[in-house]
Amino acid sequence: MDKTNRNHSIQCTVDACKYHCDNADYCALSQIRVGTHEKNPKEVQCTDCESFETLR
Ligand code: SF4
């Protein structure tokens, strides 16, 4: 995949993700999936990028 791609619709600061743009705070994917690990999410911390993959 092209990690220089800046998807301007998906800002992201998680540079520990293998899909993070290598030169700016954007995701390099064309789309992502967002979900939650809570039954009744009430705060931003309750949501997750489910497209995240670790660098290692
Ligand atoms: S997949 Fe999710 S966590 Fe990874 S760079 Fe894209 S938006 Fe960020």
Side-chain angles (χ1 to χ4, degrees):
M1 68 168 292
D2 179 8
K3 289 192 68 169
T4 66
N5 180 47
R6 298 179 184 185
N7 184 336
H8 288 270
S9 297
I10 310 175
Q11 294 184 47
C12 180
T13 59
V14 186
D15 55 12
C17 175
K18 80 179 198 181
Y19 300 121
H20 194 263
C21 175
D22 63 7
N23 58 28
D25 279 343
Y26 293 98
C27 183
L29 294 175
S30 58
Q31 63 175 14
I32 61 164
R33 178 184 172 103
V34 175
T36 182
H37 53 274
E38 304 284 350
K39 283 195 173 152
N40 294 298
K42 303 256 190 251
E43 298 178 309
V44 66
Q45 295 93 322
C46 301
T47 63
D48 307 296
C49 177
E50 294 181 344
S51 301
F52 171 88
E53 285 194 39
T54 186
L55 282 170
R56 288 177 286 278

